[in-house]
Every structure is written in C-alpha cells, then in structure tokens.
Amino acid sequence: RPARRRAAGRQASRDAMRESENQSRSGRGVWTAMATVAVSALALTGRAASHRAAGVSDQSSSLGAGRSRRGGWRERRDAWRPEEDRLAAAMRADPVYHRYLPTIYPGFDVNSDDWWHKPRAEAPSLGAATTDERRDFDLPGLPPRRAGVEKNDGRRHDTKNKKNQFKVCLDNGAGSWDVAFARGIDNLFVPGVCFGAVEQNDCHADADVVIFNEHDFIWGGAHRNPHTRRIELPRKAHPNQVYVYFAHEAAGGFGAELRDESFTSQFDYLSYVDRRRSAMWWPFGPTLRSLTDDFDVFRRRRDARVPAVAWLASDCVESRASILRAIADKFPVFSMGECLRNAPPPNGLPVRGAVDPASHASFQRAMSDYMFYFAAENAGACTGYVTEKVWMALSRGSVPLYFGTDDVYELLPDPNAIVDLRKFDSVASLTRKLRAIATDESEWAKAHAWRFRDPSSWPRGFRELLRATSTDVKYGVCDVLMKGPRGYRPSRERPRQARCDARAKVLGRSLGGSGGW
C-alpha cells in the first residue's frame, strides 16, 4: 500500500506538472495546477517531484549527492565539507567586547552626576555632558564602569549606592507585549543597568519612567477614548516623569498612529525600527546567538532542499497575495499559513509567539527544507521598515524573495543574499533567476557567501544591526535617559513617520490601481 501511494503521488506530480506547463502557455488555472504540485510534493517522494516542477535535475550534483539503493537521497560524507562558522570563532576570540562589531551608543556612566533625566528621588542635573563621559561607556553589553567595585575574583559586583536607578513602569504589564519577533525584549522587563526596579500594572503614580507598547494600543485597545476612539494617555504623575513608546508596526500599515502628531506628541521618546525617525533604534534582525544557532541549517546543501518558494502568513494582504499567485503560475509555491494555503505546515512547527530557543530551532530546521522564502512586507515599501521575514530566512539559508524598502540594502550582509522582486520586469524573468539559483551551484554560492566570510568584513550596517539586536535593550533606554535632548530629539520635535510607497513597481506592475497588483 505505501508503495502504491508513493507511485500515485509521483504520477499526480507528473500529471500536475504537465497540466501546469500546458496551462502556463494558455494562462489558465495555473495556481490550481501548481497547488497540486506543491501538495503532492509533500509525499515521501515529493522532493524529486518538486525538483522536476522547478526544472531542477534530480541526478547527482557537483556536491556529490547520489541515489541510495532504495532510491532515496543520501549525502556522501566526503563530498560536503562546510567551512567553519567564522562568526562563532570571532565570538570565542572576543567574548566580551565583540570588537568586530561597531558601537552604536556614544556611551554613558551610570554613576555620573550629569544625567539629563534623573530619578525622582534625586535632584535633576541639566549640564552638558563632557566628551570623556560620552566615551566612558561605549561597549553595550558590558557592566557600566564605576557602577560597582572590583573584587579579587575579577568580576564586577554591584554596590548599594549606585546612582541613576530609575523606577520603571510597564504600562499594562509584560503580558500586553507581542514578543513573537522582538528578540531580547524580555530584558526590558527585569531590573538592571539604570533600571532600579521594574513594576507592572497600575504603577504610574510613583514611576520615573513609563514604557508603553504599540501592540497594546492597536490590538488591546489600551487608553482609547470610547467616544472619540483616539488614544489618550494618562496625565503624567509628576513633571519629571518620562514616557517612552516602543513600536514595531509599519507607519503606513497597522501602525498608522505613528503618523498622528497629536498621538506621538504625548510621548517623550520613540523606540522604533526606522533609525532616522526615532530616538532609540529598535530593529528586527538576527542576533549573534541566533546566527550561530542557525549555522547548521544554513549550510544545508542546495540539493538537500526543496526547490520551491515557502510562505507562512496569517494576514492575506491583497497585493502580496496577488504577487504570490503570479509567481505560483511559473514556479512551485508551498503556502502553509492561513493565507492562500495549498499545503499543510511541517509536522511540529511551533505556533506563532513561541520564542524559546528550542521552538526557534525547530522552526528554522523545518523551514530550511525550502530553497526560497516569500519575504514580502505586509505594508509594502515603507521607509526604514525591514522585518523578521527577511532575517529569519537569511539566517537559515533560504533565499528571501523580498519586496519592501530600499533601506534593506543598508542592513544586508550582501546585496546578493536576497532576490529583490522590484528588480525584475516580469514573473518570467524572476522565474529564470530562481531556476538559476536552484540549478547552478555558483549562483547558490553567491547568495550564501556572506555567511562564510570574516564577520569583521561584513558591511557596517549589518554589523550595527547585530550590535543593536544582541545588546540588552535597557542600554538603549538608559542612553536616552542620560543624554536626553542633548543627544536625542524628543518625539514632538521629530518628523512624522514616513508613508509607504504605493507607487512601487514589483515584477513590472505597480501596487494597486488599474492594471496593478
């Protein structure tokens, strides 16, 4: 019976592929045909079926994959010798300072008397910071100097007399945050650095700093006036209280409140993904740890992956759904989320929001089966907005099919690491590129070469991203509190967040409008 089922699956794949090719020529019903190919490719023999659908030979490759006696795929142990993880080697050589990464904060000293913002119990000091003080702490991730005393064991131990220890209030508590792709945000919920205490819920009255989060406003309805439907923050408990807003949604999409000056003016400082328009940079991105954890799946061979485009999405935004349908006319697509599902997700795939290391590893391992990932942003081309979609795919070695902001090139480890959908004038030209990557080892290597280079040679923007995502987020908040408006423009003085470009062209067609996606 299993043999008959596998034979039937192979025949269904061949029939669907022939039907797809015929209908591709006539332009009819291709999505359905390719969906059949994708579903049938999930069978035990499906990798070969998907190889044929993508135009990839299932004969042994230059890397030495071959057929076993049973007809399955195997690896010749002497054929694939992946290089050492040079990032892991750099981390071992410099485990404290990580000098191969540039610094992102000018520096601060927890015990300095010259903090712009002060805890309520201490008298405010508004003098200008000196150059020396700005340099005093320039390596995020280390204990601040003079924040403790050295003992003979070589470790730094906190004293009871540290200055500038703020009482921080998490508005509506840590449970109101969306932590699914906000790496390291849990560090914000515990004391440390200049956070003397962190309290949750009904803690505004005696807090020095109140931190609000966008997820609670958009999806939780927090502080929304039932009559006007506008978001209205509670009045500050005292003049020196500081309001900080953490946001991760696109200003041209779900995060439209970021373009409302009557809203943003209620905060002192904004922490956001767009570095140019926020006081504190809070980007999506991989961390040093996640890159090294994912290295084993990143170096999976080309012919050990299914030559298809994978996608997992819950929000079926029409423009990107239309783009994916068009791609599926010409190349195999496995859509495994709630939008355009044509294949079940891999067994044991963690649910959204599972952020523990084991769940991350399970997700990356399962999704690394696919050569490509559809990494189109929800809101299209939004200035400064690059999300986890592209970074998680890059980290596991699945080449992202990207559509979003041009700013992504300031952050990428290599411009060849993605397939930018805006650079192709048609689906047919994109398909030729995908087939080249899927069949040509040199093209595949070009998209993955960055990961085998010395980390100190990676572009500065990518290394700054790694510094930001790998550093305790409290250091960014404390740096803002120390410098104040001397180093960071308050929210009310900053330009509004940019709109998303609704005129961008993808695969030769504009977004929306007549004749567009």
Side-chain angles (χ1 to χ4, degrees):
R1 289 181 182 178
R4 287 199 295 271
R5 283 197 297 267
R6 287 195 292 270
R10 288 194 295 270
Q11 186 60 45
S13 294
R14 288 192 290 269
D15 293 344
M17 191 58 207
R18 281 194 294 271
E19 181 184 357
S20 174
E21 291 172 349
N22 293 334
Q23 292 178 354
S24 292
R25 298 187 184 99
S26 61
R28 299 190 303 271
V30 185
W31 168 256
T32 303
M34 292 308 292
T36 307
V37 173
V39 172
S40 63
L42 293 175
L44 291 177
T45 58
R47 177 168 295 154
S50 191
H51 273 71
R52 290 193 294 275
V56 181
S57 171
D58 57 7
Q59 301 301 314
S60 44
S61 75
S62 59
L63 289 180
R67 291 280 189 176
S68 70
R69 293 179 184 175
R70 292 188 175 184
W73 289 91
R74 64 177 175 83
E75 298 181 12
R76 295 178 184 168
R77 295 181 181 179
D78 60 345
W80 177 240
R81 298 182 184 276
E83 298 182 48
E84 175 193 17
D85 184 354
R86 300 183 71 175
L87 174 59
M91 292 172 65
R92 289 193 297 270
D94 188 6
V96 176
Y97 293 94
H98 300 287
R99 293 180 181 87
Y100 51 89
L101 300 180
T103 59
I104 57 174
Y105 302 124
F108 65 87
D109 177 8
V110 165
N111 279 346
S112 169
D113 291 326
D114 192 35
W115 281 54
W116 183 272
H117 297 287
K118 303 284 285 185
R120 194 176 185 186
E122 301 178 28
S125 171
L126 305 181
T130 67
T131 301
D132 289 342
E133 284 169 342
R134 287 181 181 274
R135 288 178 177 173
D136 185 58
F137 176 46
D138 61 356
L139 293 167
L142 297 175
R145 297 176 188 171
R146 299 195 297 276
V149 295
E150 294 284 359
K151 292 187 178 180
N152 292 333
D153 59 6
R155 292 179 296 176
R156 190 174 294 274
H157 300 265
D158 291 341
T159 66
K160 296 181 180 180
N161 300 315
K162 286 201 302 186
K163 296 179 180 180
N164 303 307
Q165 295 298 289
F166 293 82
K167 183 177 289 187
V168 177
C169 170
L170 297 178
D171 179 65
N172 288 336
S176 66
W177 289 66
D178 180 4
V179 299
F181 303 110
R183 287 194 172 278
I185 196 61
D186 52 323
N187 289 319
L188 195 69
F189 307 153
V190 295
V193 195
C194 72
F195 285 30
V198 178
E199 299 181 353
Q200 304 186 36
N201 303 313
D202 300 324
C203 49
H204 290 240
D206 59 348
D208 301 309
V209 179
V210 182
I211 298 178
F212 300 84
N213 80 88
E214 184 179 47
H215 182 267
D216 195 29
F217 289 161
I218 296 177
W219 311 114
H223 304 297
R224 195 173 291 276
N225 186 311
H227 304 292
T228 65
R229 303 305 300 163
R230 299 182 69 85
I231 300 172
E232 300 175 359
L233 302 189
R235 186 185 300 273
K236 288 187 176 183
H238 54 88
N240 292 331
Q241 196 168 55
V242 179
Y243 278 6
V244 181
Y245 186 48
F246 275 71
H248 249 181
E249 292 288 356
F254 293 121
E257 85 287 350
L258 292 167
R259 296 190 48 78
D260 182 353
E261 292 180 346
S262 66
F263 170 75
T264 58
S265 63
Q266 298 179 74
F267 299 96
D268 295 292
Y269 302 104
L270 170 66
S271 179
Y272 187 54
V273 295
D274 186 352
R275 193 174 188 178
R276 291 181 290 269
R277 290 179 172 83
S278 54
M280 178 188 162
W281 189 30
W282 185 40
F284 292 92
T287 64
L288 294 174
R289 181 57 57 196
S290 69
L291 280 179
T292 53
D293 286 347
D294 291 345
F295 186 65
D296 279 345
V297 294
F298 177 91
R299 61 185 180 180
R300 287 184 67 175
R301 293 182 346 223
R302 173 176 57 89
D303 62 356
R305 300 177 190 247
V306 178
V309 178
W311 193 39
L312 278 167
S314 55
D315 302 314
C316 210
V317 180
E318 183 50 40
S319 58
R320 65 176 183 174
S322 297
I323 293 169
L324 189 67
R325 287 192 192 100
I327 294 173
D329 284 352
K330 303 291 185 180
F331 198 83
V333 168
F334 287 66
S335 182
M336 299 171 281
E338 298 304 315
C339 182
L340 302 180
R341 175 178 286 194
N342 68 347
N347 289 333
L349 193 72
V351 298
R352 186 186 186 280
V355 296
D356 60 285
S359 295
H360 170 83
S362 177
F363 181 91
Q364 293 291 76
R365 185 168 53 252
M367 297 306 294
S368 70
D369 279 346
Y370 305 96
M371 286 188 182
F372 306 98
Y373 187 78
F374 188 61
E377 301 292 4
N378 292 4
C382 305
T383 302
Y385 192 71
V386 183
T387 67
E388 81 290 339
K389 301 173 185 65
V390 65
W391 301 122
M392 292 185 71
L394 277 179
S395 186
R396 65 177 175 262
S398 299
V399 181
L401 272 58
Y402 184 73
F403 164 58
T405 176
D406 284 332
D407 296 332
V408 70
Y409 288 101
E410 298 177 8
L411 303 174
L412 285 175
D414 188 320
N416 294 311
I418 66 171
V419 173
D420 191 338
L421 299 181
R422 296 167 300 174
K423 294 187 175 182
F424 298 88
D425 59 7
S426 66
V427 176
S429 61
L430 169 67
T431 302
R432 287 193 292 272
K433 177 65 173 178
L434 299 185
R435 291 182 186 275
I437 295 174
T439 59
D440 187 335
E441 187 60 32
S442 63
E443 288 292 321
W444 176 263
K446 190 184 301 182
H448 294 80
W450 67 271
R451 188 61 180 85
F452 301 107
R453 296 180 185 134
D454 183 341
S456 63
S457 71
W458 290 343
R460 182 179 180 87
F462 183 60
R463 289 182 292 126
E464 287 181 340
L465 175 69
L466 288 176
R467 174 69 80 176
T469 56
S470 303
T471 297
D472 187 329
V473 69
K474 290 192 291 293
Y475 283 111
V477 177
C478 294
D479 199 56
V480 169
L481 295 174
M482 188 274 172
K483 305 296 190 308
R486 299 171 299 189
Y488 300 95
R489 291 171 64 187
S491 292
R492 61 181 175 275
E493 298 177 7
R494 287 183 172 272
R496 289 197 304 170
Q497 295 296 319
R499 291 185 182 276
C500 300
D501 184 4
R503 298 169 298 177
K505 278 197 169 184
V506 184
L507 300 177
R509 293 165 57 182
S510 299
L511 295 177
S514 177
W517 297 109

